[in-house]
Amino acid sequence: MHMVGTVALALFLFEAVQGCVNDADCWMNGMCKGEVCQCTAGWTGENCTLLNLKPAPVVGAYGYAPNVTSWGGLPTRIDGKWHIHVAEMINGCGLAAWKKNSRIVHAVSENMTGPYTREDVAIRDWAHNPQLAVDNHTGTPTYLLFHIGDGTPNFPEECGEETPEPPVPRKTSKILHTADSPYGPWEPFEGLPHINNPSPFLFRNGTIVLTGTEWKIWRADSWKGPWKAKDIIWEGNGGQGRWEDPFIFYEPVMRVWKMIAHVWPNYSPDEPACDYNYSLRVAGFAYSLDGVTWVKSPIPPFTNSVPHTDGSVSQMSTRERPKLIFAVDGHTPIGLANGVSSLPEPWGCKTKAGVDWTYTLVAPIGE
């Protein structure tokens, strides 16, 4: 079934290739010149639909070694080093316990792709799906750590030999903590609407745009608000699967908003997810000229196949929580971060105890 799905995807990609008439035929990831798409940096393919991913290290960015269950984060270059605020499961638990055992830790590396070494706990359990943004518009950086969960313990499970975390209450925030340093201390900010799996994009003047799986676009002149929201309008054929976990950014070269997202495979509610075969599709891409109306691409920007620097290839059973890392210009993609499960188990087994070990992977993106 997996081989059949791979062949079907290859044939679909082949049929989708065609000469361009305008930049929209290049999915706004390139310019149409002489009926040929000339892709902008970071994108490839005859219609510029694919991220130009390069081999990733065999050892993941975080959670691979030493072995701890991790589920994504966004590396950010600060003062010459790479920092990542990343989801980690406590008490020796796997991803099956993410709704109770996830916390956000801060780790540092000399390299974008890692490996990262844990420095401190940024937000204790329960908190998940972190994404860091840095507001520099006043000349003094403010670090904005968006997430889900509020940092209040939720009766975490005990799964291994680690010493259980004590249930110490703390001040809470639904989706944002702020600090003057990537090392914290982190203070909760309560002035934002509740957004599930928030993805921020911050302009240099402090203007901020947020989206999440409620599929609204929130905008404010400052991260302190006030906020205005509009419902997203979808256009185009996004292919099969359910979209979630969006990551948005504005690309000034093409003057367009862009989004990547995780895409769930379609499966019958009567069929246990852990019995479902490998996902044919793990990602989606869309663009918008106004930030409200979004055009979905039928072609995924990346797959669950990951080549490594030693020549080997990992066929991930799932590759989620997509986040792009940008060059100093703030919009040219140079890396892709994901939460991945590399065990030879079906997609839905990522939350089945015993086979639910996952880690955070960072793959470089070429020009």
Side-chain angles (χ1 to χ4, degrees):
M1 180 175 179
H2 178 234
M3 182 61 68
V4 172
T6 302
V7 172
L9 178 59
L11 289 174
F12 176 79
L13 294 176
F14 178 78
E15 292 173 356
V17 172
Q18 56 185 335
C20 61
V21 175
N22 52 42
D23 293 347
D25 290 336
C26 306
W27 288 94
M28 306 306 288
N29 291 321
M31 300 178 184
C32 182
K33 296 184 179 180
E35 298 185 354
V36 175
C37 289
Q38 297 185 6
C39 303
T40 55
W43 296 90
T44 189
E46 295 199 37
N47 291 92
C48 304
T49 53
L50 308 174
L51 285 168
N52 189 19
L53 290 170
K54 300 302 180 182
V58 174
V59 176
Y62 189 83
Y64 189 97
N67 185 334
V68 61
T69 295
S70 175
W71 197 234
L74 177 62
T76 305
R77 191 166 178 81
I78 303 169
D79 296 334
K81 291 188 176 182
W82 288 94
H83 296 249
I84 189 170
H85 292 80
V86 63
E88 174 189 88
M89 306 308 125
I90 66 171
N91 297 349
C93 291
L95 195 63
W98 75 270
K99 292 183 179 180
K100 293 183 176 182
N101 288 56
S102 180
R103 67 180 177 185
I104 298 171
V105 300
H106 168 223
V108 176
S109 176
E110 297 291 335
N111 304 304
M112 179 187 70
T113 55
Y116 287 78
T117 301
R118 182 197 300 166
E119 292 285 332
D120 52 77
V121 176
I123 305 174
R124 65 156 301 158
D125 58 299
W126 186 78
H128 194 65
N129 196 22
Q131 183 174 331
L132 185 71
V134 185
D135 182 5
N136 273 311
H137 85 281
T138 64
T140 301
T142 298
Y143 296 88
L144 311 174
L145 187 54
F146 292 86
H147 53 84
I148 57 175
D150 60 12
T152 298
N154 185 28
F155 303 100
E157 299 178 18
E158 298 180 23
C159 307
E161 298 179 355
E162 295 184 5
T163 302
E165 294 282 335
V168 180
R170 60 173 293 158
K171 294 182 290 184
T172 65
S173 170
K174 291 187 181 299
I175 69 168
L176 176 63
H177 280 73
T178 69
D180 295 330
S181 163
Y183 293 86
W186 297 93
E187 292 295 327
F189 180 76
E190 295 286 358
L192 278 77
H194 176 70
I195 301 173
N196 189 32
N197 291 325
S199 174
F201 182 80
L202 198 63
F203 287 94
R204 296 185 188 277
N205 66 357
T207 298
I208 187 170
V209 174
L210 282 169
T211 193
T213 49
E214 294 86 358
W215 303 117
K216 295 178 181 288
I217 294 293
W218 297 83
R219 183 189 181 281
D221 292 334
S222 162
W223 56 268
K224 297 179 181 180
W227 295 85
K228 295 181 179 179
K230 291 186 177 181
D231 291 328
I232 286 178
I233 300 170
W234 294 113
E235 294 183 353
N237 173 20
Q240 293 186 345
R242 172 186 167 187
W243 288 42
E244 65 161 4
D245 299 344
F247 177 95
I248 62 167
F249 64 102
Y250 184 73
E251 209 267 76
V253 175
M254 302 301 296
R255 298 181 179 179
V256 67
W257 285 94
K258 296 181 181 180
M259 175 192 297
I260 61 172
H262 171 239
V263 178
W264 285 12
N266 288 329
Y267 66 95
S268 169
D270 298 327
E271 181 182 20
C274 194
D275 294 339
Y276 192 77
N277 213 310
Y278 288 89
S279 172
L280 174 63
R281 179 177 184 146
V282 294
F285 171 81
Y287 73 85
S288 174
L289 300 179
D290 60 5
V292 176
T293 301
W294 291 80
V295 182
K296 287 182 175 181
S297 168
I299 302 174
F302 59 89
T303 70
N304 55 0
S305 182
V306 179
H308 294 295
T309 50
D310 67 352
S312 64
V313 177
S314 292
Q315 192 70 26
M316 304 296 179
S317 61
T318 188
R319 189 178 189 180
E320 305 184 21
R321 301 295 196 208
K323 293 175 174 60
L324 288 174
I325 306 154
F326 298 113
V328 292
D329 61 15
H331 61 83
T332 299
I334 60 172
L336 172 68
N338 294 98
V340 300
S341 175
S342 63
L343 295 177
E345 300 288 343
W347 158 78
C349 293
K350 65 182 181 181
T351 55
K352 180 180 179 181
V355 293
D356 58 345
W357 176 68
T358 61
Y359 60 95
T360 297
L361 174 79
V362 176
I365 295 175
E367 297 182 359

